[in-house]
Amino acid sequence: MADDKENKKIGLKTTLDMVVEGCRLPVKMSILPNEEEEWPLAEILSRKEEKGKLEFYVHYIDFNKRLDEWVLPDRLRVEELQFPKKDQKTPQKQNSSAANSRPTTPDRELQDKKTTVDRSESDSPSPSLLSKKLSLPEQSSPAGKLGGQGQTPQSQTKSNAGRKRKAIFLDEDSQDAPATPQPSAPPQQPRQTGSMSSSHDENIITRIKNIETIELGKYRIKPWYFSPYPPELTTISIVYICEFCLKYVKSRKCLERHRTKCTLRHPPGNEIYRKSTISFFEIDGRKNKMYSQNLCLLAKLFLDHKTLYYDTDPFLFYVMTEYDIKGFHIVGFFSKEKESTEDYNVACILTLPPYQRKGYGKLLIEFSYELSKFEGKTGSPEKPLSDLGLLSYRSYWSQTILEILVNLKPENGERPQITINEICELTSIRKEDVISTLQHLNLINYYKGQYIITLSQESIDTHNRAMAKRKIRIDAKCLHWTPKDWAKRGKW
C-alpha cells in the first residue's frame, strides 16, 4: 500500500512537471455565482514554486482577465491536459462591440428624410404604441469632427499611426450596468495619442497580476490587472496608498509616517463642482504631474489591455470625491485631452471598485457631457470602450435620449417634431452615438413612407422606473467652470 501511494505521488509529480506555459486543461474556478462548481478550460500562463509549494497562474478561456489567478495543483484536472500546439496563441476575445455593432448611421435615405413626432394613437402602428417621427437632416462637418466623417476607418488608422504621443486611454470599468449580454456599439477605432495606449504586443509579464492587494483609505481592494508599479512592491502582500496624494508605500508604518507630512485632504487642482457631499476637482496633468502619474498607475490596476506611459502633460483629470470630516475621498475620475482633434470628451474613465454599482459611473459620464455643454460642443468617449464601459455608456445614452423623447410636447396642436441634430444640441451626445443608440433600442422604424421613432408603453414604463432609481444627478448650477482654448494658449 505504501508503495502504491509513493508511486501515485511520483506519477502526479511527473504529470505536473508536464504542465507548462501554454498548456490547457480544466481548472476549478474559485469565484462562481451561487457557489456552483465549474471546471472551465484554462490556459497556463506561468508557474512558480516557493518553499516547496507549487502554483500555476491560469487564464480562463472565454472569461474576463480579471478572473485570472494563482491556483494549487489540486484544482487542476491534469488527466485532461492539452499540450500547446505549434504557434498556438490564446484566442483573443473578439471585440464584442465590433462583432455585434450595427451601422453607425441608417441608410442615406434616412439621412435625407424629414419626419415628425406623432403622438396620435390612431396613426400609430398599434394602439398601444406611441409613435414619434424623427427628421435626420444632412449635416456637413469638417473631417475629424463627429467621428471623422468623410474618412474611412483605414484612412483614420493611417493618419493616426504617425502620431508620436501614446494614448492615456483607460476604459470604463463599470459600475452601474448589470451583467447582461453586451450591447451593440458604434464603430470603435483605437487611437494612438496621449500617455496610455493599447498594448497589442502583450507579453507574459503584463498578463499576470503583479499586485496582490492595495489599501486605499478604509478599503482593501484586490486588483484586477497588471500595473507597472516598482518591482519591489510586487513581492509584498499589501501596497499602501495615500488616498489624498496617491503616493504608494510598502508598509503601514511608512504610510503613517507619510500622513504626518502629507498636507493634502483633497486632490490638487481646482474644485469646480460641489453639491451635497460630491465634489469634482480639475487637475492639470502638467502642473500636477506626480499626482496624475500615480492616478494612472492606480487606474491601471482595474483596466485591461493598456500600456502605461508617463506623458500626462496633454491631459486634464477630473476627480470625483465624497466628502466627510476626514477630507475628500476619491471615488473615480475621467481624463480628457486638452486638445482633441476628434472632439473626444473622455480619454479614460474609472469608478473605483468600492464605489461601483451605486450610480457613480453614470454621474461621471453625465459630468463629462455637462462640460461639453459648457464648451458648446458634442462629445464622445475615446474608442474602443471596454465591455463594462460600453454597457455604462449605452445605458446613459439610452436614458438621456429617451428622457427627451418621452417629454416632447406637441406644439399648436400639431405633432411634435425633433431632429437628430436637436437631440445632439440638447444632450451634447455626438450624432453617431445618438443614431447607434436608437438602432440598438430598435426605435427607428419605416412607417407610411417615413422613418419614425416607436416607443411601446412598456418601454416608457421601464425607462421611468430606471430614471426613478437615479437618485444622484449633476446640477449644472453647481458647476463653476470656464472652458479654456488650449490652442490659443500655446504651451500647455
Side-chain angles (χ1 to χ4, degrees):
M1 291 292 292
D3 290 341
D4 289 342
K5 288 183 179 179
E6 190 64 29
N7 289 335
K8 284 183 179 179
K9 286 183 180 179
I10 294 173
L12 178 60
K13 186 178 186 306
T14 303
T15 304
L16 291 176
D17 288 340
M18 300 169 64
V19 181
V20 296
E21 294 177 8
C23 288
R24 296 184 180 185
L25 73 172
V27 178
K28 183 179 179 181
M29 292 186 73
S30 61
I31 304 176
L32 291 171
N34 304 323
E35 298 183 355
E36 297 175 356
E37 185 171 307
E38 187 175 347
W39 293 74
L41 186 66
E43 179 184 354
I44 304 296
L45 298 184
S46 182
R47 55 181 286 160
K48 67 179 180 181
E49 187 169 1
E50 295 179 356
K51 299 178 181 179
K53 181 180 174 183
L54 181 63
E55 289 184 285
F56 299 89
Y57 193 83
V58 300
H59 165 65
Y60 299 101
I61 308 299
D62 295 330
F63 286 84
N64 192 284
K65 279 178 57 181
R66 69 173 67 96
L67 298 177
D68 295 1
E69 59 181 335
W70 288 100
V71 300
L72 296 173
D74 60 359
R75 289 172 56 187
L76 304 180
R77 194 173 279 172
V78 292
E79 61 271 18
E80 299 182 33
L81 181 66
Q82 302 175 15
F83 293 101
K85 298 178 182 178
K86 187 175 181 181
D87 297 328
Q88 176 179 305
K89 296 181 180 179
T90 302
Q92 296 297 322
K93 225 174 178 183
Q94 187 177 10
N95 189 317
S96 55
S97 60
N100 301 326
S101 63
R102 298 171 180 165
T104 48
T105 57
D107 298 333
R108 287 188 179 274
E109 182 184 5
L110 176 58
Q111 294 280 9
D112 298 332
K113 289 280 184 181
K114 286 192 175 182
T115 58
T116 59
V117 180
D118 183 5
R119 284 189 178 276
S120 62
E121 297 270 342
S122 58
D123 292 337
S124 44
S126 165
S128 63
L129 299 182
L130 175 65
S131 299
K132 300 185 177 185
K133 299 180 180 179
L134 231 58
S135 68
L136 305 176
E138 291 186 344
Q139 175 178 313
S140 60
S141 63
K145 304 292 183 181
L146 294 177
Q149 293 182 352
Q151 294 186 31
T152 62
Q154 292 83 358
S155 64
Q156 283 189 323
T157 303
K158 290 179 181 178
S159 64
N160 292 334
R163 300 185 182 178
K164 294 183 179 179
R165 287 187 284 121
K166 303 292 182 186
I168 183 164
F169 173 70
L170 304 175
D171 297 336
E172 165 68 85
D173 48 272
S174 200
Q175 324 5 12
D176 312 314
T180 54
Q182 248 177 267
S184 59
Q188 310 233 353
Q189 299 169 7
R191 199 165 53 106
Q192 298 295 320
T193 61
S195 64
M196 203 171 278
S197 69
S198 297
S199 176
H200 299 293
D201 300 325
E202 192 178 32
N203 59 50
I204 193 66
I205 295 177
T206 61
R207 295 180 68 184
I208 299 175
K209 300 173 192 175
N210 58 334
I211 303 296
E212 185 176 337
T213 308
I214 64 168
E215 183 173 297
L216 182 68
K218 62 182 180 180
Y219 297 106
R220 282 193 176 178
I221 311 169
K222 290 281 188 183
W224 295 351
Y225 307 110
F226 170 90
S227 182
Y229 278 95
E232 58 267 24
L233 297 181
T234 64
T235 58
I236 59 179
S237 58
I238 301 175
V239 175
Y240 295 85
I241 300 176
C242 174
E243 61 179 329
F244 299 116
C245 73
L246 304 186
K247 178 181 174 64
Y248 45 86
V249 293
K250 295 189 288 186
S251 68
R252 182 178 292 278
K253 183 175 255 185
C254 291
L255 180 63
E256 290 172 353
R257 192 161 56 242
H258 165 75
R259 282 174 177 167
T260 62
K261 303 174 185 177
C262 183
T263 59
L264 284 179
R265 288 299 175 267
H266 59 77
N270 300 321
E271 185 182 11
I272 60 175
Y273 179 92
R274 182 187 294 187
K275 184 174 184 181
S276 185
T277 59
I278 300 295
S279 291
F280 279 85
F281 291 82
E282 181 183 60
I283 297 154
D284 190 319
R286 181 180 69 85
K287 294 179 180 178
N288 298 283
K289 192 182 293 287
M290 185 59 67
Y291 181 90
S292 300
Q293 292 174 358
N294 287 341
L295 180 61
C296 291
L297 280 170
L298 173 64
K300 183 64 184 69
L301 291 171
F302 308 102
L303 300 162
D304 191 19
H305 294 307
K306 304 299 166 187
T307 301
L308 186 63
Y309 295 88
Y310 292 92
D311 179 18
T312 60
D313 289 16
F315 292 89
L316 296 169
F317 297 83
Y318 295 89
V319 177
M320 181 169 68
T321 64
E322 264 191 345
Y323 174 77
D324 63 19
I325 57 174
K326 294 183 179 179
F328 295 80
H329 308 279
I330 181 171
V331 171
F333 83 101
F334 68 89
S335 67
K336 62 184 293 187
E337 284 189 285
K338 295 173 181 176
E339 289 185 275
S340 174
T341 56
E342 296 87 355
D343 278 346
Y344 289 132
N345 63 355
V346 165
C348 60
I349 185 167
L350 171 72
T351 302
L352 292 172
Y355 298 96
Q356 292 177 11
R357 304 187 69 82
K358 295 181 179 180
Y360 290 123
K362 280 196 181 71
L363 201 67
L364 281 166
I365 296 172
E366 187 177 3
F367 189 79
S368 70
Y369 280 105
E370 202 61 46
L371 296 183
S372 295
K373 291 177 185 178
F374 271 63
E375 293 175 316
K377 300 177 180 178
T378 58
S380 183
E382 191 171 296
K383 309 299 190 306
L385 291 168
S386 68
D387 53 354
L388 297 175
L390 178 58
L391 283 170
S392 288
Y393 264 95
R394 182 66 77 196
S395 176
Y396 172 80
W397 289 334
S398 299
Q399 290 181 9
T400 303
I401 294 170
L402 284 171
E403 189 173 27
I404 291 175
L405 297 178
V406 168
N407 294 323
L408 278 175
K409 304 294 183 184
E411 297 178 0
N412 301 324
E414 298 180 358
R415 299 170 181 174
Q417 297 186 0
I418 193 169
T419 66
I420 290 291
N421 287 340
E422 287 171 343
I423 294 177
C424 295
E425 290 173 5
L426 291 170
T427 62
S428 283
I429 300 174
R430 186 183 290 183
K431 182 167 66 175
E432 285 78 2
D433 295 333
V434 171
I435 296 175
S436 67
T437 301
L438 292 173
Q439 291 176 324
H440 166 72
L441 295 172
N442 293 321
L443 296 182
I444 294 182
N445 296 284
Y446 192 78
Y447 179 69
K448 291 186 177 180
Q450 298 187 39
Y451 285 94
I452 63 172
I453 297 297
T454 304
L455 291 176
S456 67
Q457 190 59 48
E458 182 182 358
S459 298
I460 296 174
D461 293 340
T462 302
H463 166 72
N464 290 335
R465 286 194 297 269
M467 295 302 294
K469 294 179 182 179
R470 284 179 66 178
K471 302 298 184 183
I472 50 176
R473 301 289 299 270
I474 294 297
D475 185 351
K477 297 176 182 177
C478 298
L479 176 58
H480 304 285
W481 180 73
T482 303
K484 298 181 180 69
D485 188 347
W486 294 97
K488 293 182 179 179
R489 295 173 71 89
K491 193 174 181 180
W492 292 319

